[in-house]
Amino acid sequence: MEITSPISHIDEIEPLVAAGAKELYCGVVPSNWVAQFNTGAVNRRYFSNLPSLSELEKAVTIAHGAGAQLFLVLNAQHYGTDQLDALVNLGNSFNEMGGDAVIVADLTLIVALREQVPDLGIHVSSVASCRNSAAVSFYRDLGVRRVILPRDVTLDEIEVIAKAVPDVEIEVFILNDGCVFEEGVCHTIHLPKKLGGPICVDSYQFEYVGAAGKAMPHEAVRRLQDNDADYKRWLWYRFGCGFSTTEEGYPYGPCGLCAIHRLREAGVASIKIAGREGATERKIKSVEMVHQVLEKARQGADAMSVATTAVGIRKTVKHCQSGYMCYYPEVRYPL
């Protein structure tokens, strides 16, 4: 099992690999794409992309030199005919650079890439909403190498899929960016915090109140705009507890660390850290945190010991006790 981490510029590659990530993913906006289509929407992030093909080539070289693979994200739900042709050309360029795989949601693009760039690995994006073994088998028959499961697939379902289709790698989310909608039918984008953040969180507010008026994430108090307190609380956790961190810089928010032992036992190939738009330090600390727990599992610790390690890193038990922060709440242990 490997850790898969996002990057948005090449200076992040070496520190993320040093922190424990052996797989990296990124987007790119080629200048000819903007000129031809008058949009930066090559993937589902308008921002946080590498700026050019030359930077992408550098990223491939640096990643491989550091001992990591690099994947390119081309994961909009669908593209127009002219865009598909341009994306096949982009995939071919990435393949010639030595890129390892592309992450794709559009079924037509998957077929086109398989036919025209057969040596390039294809990973099915979570945006494709592939959530059962029959769907994974369908994509396997199209020649894909890996399927990234949506965020709401349960551990029981993951285990069934991995066992039923062992010749397809399975990747699952482990940390950050908890979408509240189904990505496959959501056509919004996650704006960076400085531009307002995701539109699905603009219906509530929060503030931190701590001792002597100091902001303290673990003593957060939110001001709700309506009476649906449970839903608002869930939203607050799903979107990173206000983008807060521990004193050491470890991020709060959607987390599946307690499930690492079970995911590893199921044969999951990769655990994915979300958040291309995140700050570099947040990405590094995310990888460090996941790596600590994964190493515990690799050393042969049992499920409870792995979960105890996971909870202990942040030193804020009540966030874990709430259950709102869990990607896989079915493995919450008594704390």
Side-chain angles (χ1 to χ4, degrees):
M1 178 188 282
E2 300 293 354
I3 300 170
T4 304
S5 171
I7 65 165
S8 55
H9 55 82
I10 61 176
D11 292 342
E12 294 176 329
I13 295 174
E14 291 181 335
L16 285 169
V17 175
K22 298 303 180 185
E23 298 179 345
L24 306 168
Y25 65 96
C26 67
V28 69
V29 182
S31 58
N32 60 341
W33 177 280
V34 177
Q36 183 175 359
F37 302 113
N38 196 31
T39 177
V42 184
N43 54 69
R44 283 178 56 81
R45 292 291 188 272
Y46 281 86
F47 307 92
S48 308
N49 291 300
L50 299 180
S52 65
L53 291 181
S54 62
E55 284 291 288
L56 180 61
E57 187 168 17
K58 290 178 185 177
V60 172
T61 300
I62 296 170
H64 288 179
Q69 297 186 75
L70 185 69
F71 310 140
L72 177 64
V73 183
L74 308 173
N75 69 336
Q77 285 100 331
H78 51 76
Y79 298 96
T81 301
D82 291 342
Q83 290 176 324
L84 287 169
D85 292 339
L87 290 169
V88 169
N89 290 334
L90 177 55
N92 187 60
S93 296
F94 184 59
N95 187 52
E96 291 176 347
M97 294 172 189
D100 297 286
V102 288
I103 301 172
V104 185
D106 186 316
L107 183 59
T108 307
L109 179 57
I110 290 174
V111 173
L113 287 168
R114 177 52 56 235
E115 291 178 347
Q116 299 180 54
V117 196
D119 295 334
L120 181 61
I122 298 176
H123 296 178
V124 177
S125 170
S126 61
V127 179
S129 299
C130 180
R131 58 180 67 253
N132 57 55
S133 58
V136 173
S137 296
F138 170 78
Y139 283 109
R140 175 201 58 198
D141 294 344
L142 292 179
V144 306
R145 179 183 302 169
R146 176 181 295 186
V147 169
I148 305 167
L149 299 179
R151 288 170 169 81
D152 61 340
V153 177
T154 69
L155 286 172
D156 284 348
E157 291 168 336
I158 291 169
E159 289 169 343
V160 169
I161 291 168
K163 183 177 180 180
V165 198
D167 48 348
V168 174
E169 295 178 355
I170 298 299
E171 180 176 312
V172 301
F173 286 91
I174 202 67
L175 207 64
N176 299 339
D177 276 21
C179 290
V180 301
F181 300 128
E182 169 52 61
E183 279 190 300
V185 293
C186 179
H187 291 264
T188 64
I189 59 171
H190 283 193
L191 295 170
K193 183 183 177 185
K194 64 182 179 182
L195 296 178
I199 67 168
C200 36
V201 297
D202 63 6
S203 61
Y204 78 100
Q205 297 175 347
F206 60 85
E207 67 176 10
Y208 294 131
V209 178
K214 295 180 180 179
M216 299 181 68
H218 59 283
E219 296 179 9
V221 177
R222 292 179 302 108
R223 292 180 175 176
L224 304 177
Q225 292 181 331
D226 58 37
N227 295 323
D228 193 0
D230 286 339
Y231 179 66
K232 297 300 183 182
R233 187 182 182 207
W234 177 72
L235 277 181
W236 184 75
Y237 276 105
R238 291 295 277 184
F239 286 98
C241 303
F243 306 98
S244 59
T245 66
T246 68
E247 292 181 358
E248 297 82 6
Y250 297 124
Y252 292 105
C255 172
L257 295 179
C258 286
I260 282 179
H261 184 277
R262 189 167 167 185
L263 292 169
R264 189 166 177 265
E265 290 291 304
V268 168
S270 172
I271 44 180
K272 182 188 187 82
I273 297 170
R276 275 185 279 154
E277 72 282 359
T280 299
E281 183 65 17
R282 184 179 181 86
K283 294 171 187 171
I284 293 171
K285 287 298 183 180
S286 294
V287 173
E288 288 180 355
M289 185 160 57
V290 176
H291 186 254
Q292 287 182 52
V293 183
L294 180 56
E295 280 302 296
K296 189 76 173 181
R298 285 171 172 165
Q299 291 165 8
D302 62 21
M304 182 63 77
S305 296
V306 172
T308 300
T309 299
V311 173
I313 291 173
R314 294 193 186 93
K315 305 173 186 175
T316 314
V317 175
K318 73 176 188 178
H319 281 327
C320 296
Q321 288 174 327
S322 75
Y324 286 101
M325 208 163 70
C326 300
Y327 266 129
Y328 310 104
E330 60 265 44
V331 293
R332 284 174 57 215
Y333 295 99
L335 302 171

